[in-house]
Amino acid sequence: MTATVLDDRLVTLRDAARQWGAEFRTAGAGLDTAPDAVGAHLDLAGVRCLASMLVPAEFGGAGLRLGAHRFHGMTAIERAVVLEELARGDAGLMLASPGASMSGVLVDVLADREQKEWFYGRLLERPTWTFFALTEPDRGSDATALETALSAAPDGGHRLDGRKKYVGNAARAALGVVFARTAPGPLGVTAVLVDTADPGFHAEPLESLGLRAARICELTLDGVAVPAERVLGRDRSPARRGMWACVQTFNRLRPGVAAIALGIAAAAHDYVVAEGGPLDRAGRDRLEELGRRIEGVRHLVHLSAIEVDADGSRGHLASAAKAEACRLAEEATLEACGFFGPRARWDHPALDKLVRDARGVEFMEGAGNIQKLTVFQGLLAGKVGRGEPFPAHAGKSSSGGASCG
């Protein structure tokens, strides 16, 4: 019997997302060569989901109704369920879709009511892309070493100067979040909301081997005006702004990133089942073993999401899930190629795309060595043990709803 922590509500969401993922599979193949054509797919149910989720009802979000259930997109477990199925269809299209995405999670954690009204209001006007800019060319994603500067402007606002790199969707986004520094040290890190139409903002797409539809970019920020009311956490102490919010946000995002890698691995397994033809006993055993491994990592991802939903400061299990899911994606896609011989990637373009896409997830939200360091720190602090991690929470989900981005 397959182990699961999903209740009937989450199963309903998963089944719907699985149907949307099947549509993604066809559409995503074309975006690999024409990534700017994502606008032609805005009518797909999965894209509409991603475009509208992560907007709470109190700010005008209609949510997603499936039978007796309604989802607004505010829990990690529901994000994991949806993102796995959409990535199982096509991870590139999933990442290229409009919506609140990573910025929406940070806004939920840190923004005040006025900022949420501005952010969510923009998203409700029309399908809108957002971006999340932390990583820098010379500093990576180490938030404590940021060089992008937020300085005071004569009009009482601020100006933003610096560079960011590996920022998804930035060239097509209307708004997003930028992490910057106001002073030395960890308490000098802050995040701001940015309108991409403002002078001084420039996004240049980078050439990429995988996940091409996401249009990963490099940003140049040259004196971008940031009004005082767009500084996130402006009503909080420095200790509860930049770094604290960054940790909380990435903890909540991490199970979803793991789910994307898991979806790619599951897609590779699906491809062998559909296209591999009759297998001998050894081949069947290999395929069954891969399927069991995927199921085991799925259980880990779901448990990690439930833990983060219970306590946003506990991201250690999510780090383990992300590291393991990324390793699985890379190994599963290569294992799938092994069923088709040495010309597999040449003769099976869909499989070649999965191999390329799998390698991109490793660098989303922190590479594997960073995740392993987080797990180790959790072990030292006694926050990660060998027993059942959270029996009181398993199988339960918040009424907040599903997230798709």
Side-chain angles (χ1 to χ4, degrees):
M1 179 179 293
T2 300
T4 183
V5 296
L6 303 185
D7 58 17
D8 290 342
R9 182 172 180 274
L10 292 170
V11 168
T12 299
L13 180 63
R14 181 203 63 194
D15 292 347
R18 187 164 294 175
Q19 295 179 25
W20 306 336
E23 297 178 328
F24 272 38
R25 189 168 299 115
T26 300
L31 290 178
D32 199 46
T33 55
D36 290 328
V38 65
H41 303 294
L42 297 181
D43 60 336
L44 292 181
V47 175
R48 293 201 307 270
C49 167
L50 294 167
S52 62
M53 301 300 279
L54 262 174
V55 180
E58 65 175 307
F59 292 97
L64 170 70
R65 179 173 289 282
L66 295 173
H69 309 297
R70 186 178 292 276
F71 307 91
H72 280 91
M74 311 310 293
T75 64
I77 180 59
E78 292 160 359
R79 281 195 289 277
V81 168
V82 172
L83 295 183
E84 179 194 343
E85 296 301 333
L86 295 184
R88 192 171 184 170
D90 188 79
L93 174 54
M94 188 221 74
L95 291 167
S97 295
S101 191
M102 296 174 69
S103 291
V105 176
L106 181 64
V107 166
D108 181 53
V109 169
L110 195 57
D112 59 32
R113 187 169 189 85
E114 181 183 346
Q115 291 165 341
K116 288 180 179 180
E117 288 175 349
W118 181 81
F119 182 82
Y120 297 136
R122 294 284 298 272
L123 292 175
L124 291 172
E125 290 175 359
R126 63 184 63 86
T128 301
W129 283 266
T130 62
F131 71 90
F132 185 97
L134 171 64
T135 302
E136 296 187 354
D138 299 321
R139 299 296 183 178
S141 57
D142 182 1
T144 63
L146 294 181
E147 293 183 340
T148 297
L150 184 71
S151 54
D155 62 0
H158 308 273
R159 61 172 287 158
L160 191 61
D161 295 276
R163 295 168 61 209
K164 298 290 184 179
K165 201 165 187 178
Y166 310 123
V167 184
N169 288 318
R172 55 170 70 110
L175 66 160
V177 170
V178 175
F179 280 83
R181 178 171 296 287
T182 59
L187 297 184
V189 176
T190 193
V192 297
L193 292 167
V194 171
D195 188 323
T196 63
D198 289 340
F201 180 95
H202 178 71
E204 185 68 27
L206 300 169
E207 291 294 329
S208 61
L209 190 62
L211 301 173
R212 290 172 175 166
R215 298 302 271 161
I216 297 169
C217 295
E218 180 169 2
L219 303 187
T220 301
L221 306 160
D222 184 9
V224 178
V226 178
E229 62 269 20
R230 292 190 195 162
V231 177
L232 293 168
R234 56 181 173 162
D235 57 342
R236 304 188 184 199
S237 71
R240 302 287 286 181
R241 282 205 298 254
M243 286 304 302
W244 176 88
C246 189
V247 170
Q248 291 279 324
T249 298
F250 278 115
N251 285 349
R252 298 183 189 201
L253 287 169
R254 201 168 294 130
V257 178
I260 296 171
L262 177 63
I264 293 172
H269 183 272
D270 293 344
Y271 192 87
V272 177
V273 171
E275 305 293 338
L279 300 175
D280 58 19
R281 177 60 181 270
R284 291 195 301 271
D285 288 346
R286 286 168 54 205
L287 189 59
E288 289 174 3
E289 173 59 27
L290 179 59
R292 286 192 294 270
R293 186 178 172 196
I294 290 170
E295 186 59 38
V297 174
R298 178 177 294 121
H299 191 59
L300 174 61
V301 171
H302 290 171
L303 290 177
S304 73
I306 290 170
E307 181 177 62
V308 168
D309 285 333
D311 183 349
S313 68
R314 294 179 63 89
H316 307 89
L317 195 64
S319 285
K322 200 269 182 176
E324 185 62 19
C326 287
R327 185 162 68 100
L328 170 66
E330 295 190 12
E331 294 177 0
T333 51
L334 292 180
E335 178 77 9
C337 289
F339 287 90
F340 298 95
R343 286 173 49 93
R345 294 179 64 177
W346 180 266
D347 293 335
H348 299 269
L351 199 54
D352 173 67
K353 182 178 184 302
L354 289 172
V355 174
R356 290 185 283 108
D357 287 352
R359 272 98 194 127
V361 186
E362 161 71 8
F363 301 100
M364 295 169 57
E365 192 281 307
N369 58 336
I370 300 299
Q371 307 302 340
K372 292 171 185 176
L373 181 60
T374 301
V375 173
F376 178 67
Q377 291 169 341
L379 286 168
L380 289 180
K383 295 181 179 180
V384 180
R386 296 187 178 184
E388 179 64 32
F390 30 67
H393 304 294
K396 298 181 181 179
S397 64
S398 164
S399 60
S403 164
C404 305

